[in-house]
Amino acid sequence: MATRSDKAESRTRGSIRDALLDAASALMREQDKIDIGIVEIAARAGVNHGMIRYYFGDKEGMLAALLDRDVLRAIGQLDALFRLPVTPTERMRIHLEGIVDTYYRIPYLNRLIQYMVRDAEPERVRHIGDELLKKIAGAQARMIEEGIAAGEFHPVDPKLFYFNTIGAADGLYSNRLTLQVVFQGKPHADDDLHARYRQHTVETLLAGLVKNYQP
Amino acid sequence: MATRSDKAESRTRGSIRDALLDAASALMREQDKIDIGIVEIAARAGVNHGMIRYYFGDKEGMLAALLDRDVLRAIGQLDALFRLPVTPTERMRIHLEGIVDTYYRIPYLNRLIQYMVRDAEPERVRHIGDELLKKIAGAQARMIEEGIAAGEFHPVDPKLFYFNTIGAADGLYSNRLTLQVVFQGKPHADDDLHARYRQHTVETLLAGLVKNYQP
């Protein structure tokens, strides 16, 4: 029978790195917190925890890599979205559905950003601000400007819309114990509740943005 | 010159208790986190940290008392709101403005609830669920039912509306470092930004809820 370290040795460099990021992500989702120990993360990935130092330098480096992976995927989707030949309202709808999907998949996202922006090295904070968050916020602001120019949107402040969006999208997934305690629900939103929450959230945000909005 | 302990001894029982709660609240706001040491809280209040054990049993007891104080105030406001002779739309507007004001005043509220509901003793979790959160969510659901019955509101699911509300209301205040890093803003929302965020958030939530809503 193959031991865990045999298994690890048979992996390629990229797959061990990915396995560590997958393990960190899964544990943060399951335990509903950011602060997971490196020994536990390595054990989940089936590798020695020295691998974290080897691939990422330290735990903060691993969290930075995880945030990069999660957010760069979303930025890639935004680039594709701008190439779609749709109205500003439709583009915004697709964008907002994507944001709610992101928080369903990565419910720790805002907390990971808060954790990194508060505690990480200045160069990492600059990277997160300039290369990740400003890209998302800037793309959303560009969509809003297009919709205003086309006469479809009310003239809203993109900054206020951005914080409404990330707050409302996150509301269900970051308060999962409220769901359990107050509504006798499951501790996790399931696919059905997520689909209903996404529709409700996107309709609400569009109703506030689009002139004479009809669902 | 009076020393800190002279100052403490001249206080009444209630005022020391309140001073500890005020100190914990102020430090959680300033440091943007829940996990503040009891020595630091006692020092800010100008008393020995043994006072925390005396008044609250332990730190968890102090946090539970702080949550009680913050949320019971909001519940008292809701009772008064139901006695106001206004339309369902106006009642909901006043309620939503009050929620955004609450998160501006207490930006750590969702995080304190998450912390307590995850880590506190079962009896405390039951109290938070039944005596605090269900009261707020139940009052909001009653407002929604009144508005639907009066023909003013779309038939929305109160659970989805509740999580949109607490997420959107919290969005600006719990992501203050995003504000600083992405928008070159101050690390705290000031009164002017808060007033604009409240108006934007309340208009958006009402646009999604009220039939043919006109701002």
Side-chain angles (χ1 to χ4, degrees):
Chain A
M1 205 180 89
T3 65
R4 289 204 143 180
S5 64
D6 290 341
K7 205 170 76 181
E9 278 163 22
S10 73
R11 288 175 177 165
T12 64
R13 180 184 163 91
S15 79
I16 293 178
R17 188 177 187 282
D18 281 344
L20 283 165
L21 295 179
D22 290 343
S25 178
L27 289 166
M28 283 157 61
R29 263 199 309 278
E30 286 167 20
Q31 297 183 22
D32 197 24
K33 65 179 187 182
I34 301 302
D35 202 14
I36 312 273
I38 58 168
V39 172
E40 190 174 0
I41 292 167
R44 169 66 72 98
V47 302
N48 184 283
H49 68 266
M51 289 289 185
I52 290 177
R53 177 169 291 278
Y54 178 72
Y55 284 109
F56 304 107
D58 55 16
K59 186 173 138 190
E60 186 188 295
M62 187 183 61
L63 294 178
L66 181 62
L67 187 60
D68 259 9
R69 190 175 76 161
D70 287 344
V71 178
L72 289 175
R73 188 190 308 185
I75 291 173
Q77 289 175 332
L78 278 169
D79 288 342
L81 180 53
F82 275 110
R83 291 192 296 270
L84 282 186
V86 294
T87 65
T89 299
E90 272 313 294
R91 197 184 317 282
M92 182 60 81
R93 178 193 302 279
I94 295 167
H95 163 63
L96 294 173
E97 287 178 350
I99 289 186
V100 184
D101 283 342
T102 297
Y103 282 102
Y104 179 47
R105 204 176 66 240
I106 313 168
Y108 55 78
L109 183 59
N110 279 356
R111 282 168 289 167
L112 179 57
I113 291 170
Q114 287 162 15
Y115 181 93
M116 295 298 290
V117 170
R118 182 168 59 214
D119 292 329
E121 295 166 12
E123 173 53 26
R124 288 212 169 101
V125 174
R126 191 208 58 73
H127 169 75
I128 293 168
D130 291 351
E131 307 301 325
L132 304 181
L133 304 183
K134 279 186 190 172
K135 293 275 165 67
I136 304 273
Q140 191 181 68
R142 187 177 144 198
M143 270 180 236
I144 291 173
E145 284 156 21
E146 280 184 351
I148 294 171
E152 292 184 24
F153 295 172
H154 297 293
V156 304
D157 179 339
K159 178 161 69 177
L160 306 181
F161 190 84
Y162 179 79
F163 284 106
N164 257 196
T165 303
I166 64 169
D170 188 40
L172 180 64
Y173 312 108
S174 71
N175 294 290
R176 68 179 224 199
L177 287 157
T178 305
L179 185 64
Q180 193 171 19
V181 171
V182 179
F183 294 100
Q184 274 80 43
K186 301 167 193 167
H188 295 274
D190 58 16
D191 286 350
D192 172 62
L193 178 57
H194 164 61
R196 290 191 294 124
Y197 191 69
R198 182 176 62 184
Q199 183 179 10
H200 179 90
T201 303
V202 172
E203 293 298 332
T204 296
L205 291 168
L206 288 178
L209 179 67
V210 177
K211 290 180 182 172
N212 304 311
Y213 181 69
Q214 298 299 329
Chain B
M1 203 180 89
T3 65
R4 289 204 145 179
S5 63
D6 290 340
K7 204 170 78 182
E9 277 163 22
S10 73
R11 288 174 176 165
T12 64
R13 180 184 164 91
S15 80
I16 292 178
R17 188 178 186 282
D18 281 343
L20 283 165
L21 295 180
D22 290 342
S25 178
L27 289 166
M28 283 156 63
R29 264 199 309 279
E30 288 167 19
Q31 298 183 22
D32 197 25
K33 64 179 188 181
I34 301 302
D35 201 14
I36 312 272
I38 58 169
V39 173
E40 189 173 1
I41 292 168
R44 170 67 72 99
V47 302
N48 184 283
H49 68 268
M51 289 289 185
I52 290 176
R53 176 168 292 277
Y54 178 73
Y55 284 108
F56 305 106
D58 55 16
K59 186 174 138 190
E60 185 188 295
M62 188 184 60
L63 293 178
L66 181 62
L67 187 60
D68 259 9
R69 190 175 77 162
D70 287 343
V71 178
L72 289 175
R73 186 189 308 184
I75 291 173
Q77 289 176 333
L78 278 170
D79 288 342
L81 179 55
F82 275 110
R83 291 192 296 272
L84 281 186
V86 294
T87 64
T89 300
E90 271 313 293
R91 198 185 316 283
M92 182 59 81
R93 179 193 301 281
I94 296 166
H95 163 62
L96 294 174
E97 287 177 349
I99 289 186
V100 183
D101 284 341
T102 297
Y103 282 102
Y104 179 47
R105 206 177 63 242
I106 313 169
Y108 54 78
L109 183 58
N110 279 356
R111 281 168 289 168
L112 179 57
I113 292 170
Q114 288 162 14
Y115 180 93
M116 295 298 289
V117 170
R118 181 167 60 214
D119 294 328
E121 294 166 12
E123 173 52 27
R124 287 213 169 101
V125 175
R126 193 208 57 73
H127 169 76
I128 292 168
D130 290 352
E131 308 300 326
L132 303 181
L133 303 183
K134 279 186 190 171
K135 293 275 166 68
I136 303 273
Q140 191 181 70
R142 189 178 145 197
M143 271 179 234
I144 291 172
E145 284 156 20
E146 280 185 352
I148 293 170
E152 292 184 24
F153 295 172
H154 296 293
V156 304
D157 179 340
K159 178 162 69 177
L160 305 181
F161 190 85
Y162 179 80
F163 285 106
N164 257 195
T165 304
I166 63 169
D170 188 39
L172 180 65
Y173 312 109
S174 71
N175 295 291
R176 69 179 223 199
L177 287 158
T178 305
L179 186 63
Q180 194 171 16
V181 170
V182 179
F183 294 100
Q184 274 80 43
K186 300 167 193 167
H188 296 275
D190 58 16
D191 286 352
D192 172 62
L193 178 59
H194 164 61
R196 291 191 294 126
Y197 191 69
R198 182 176 63 184
Q199 183 179 9
H200 179 91
T201 303
V202 172
E203 293 299 332
T204 297
L205 291 168
L206 288 178
L209 180 67
V210 177
K211 291 179 182 171
N212 305 312
Y213 181 70
Q214 298 298 330

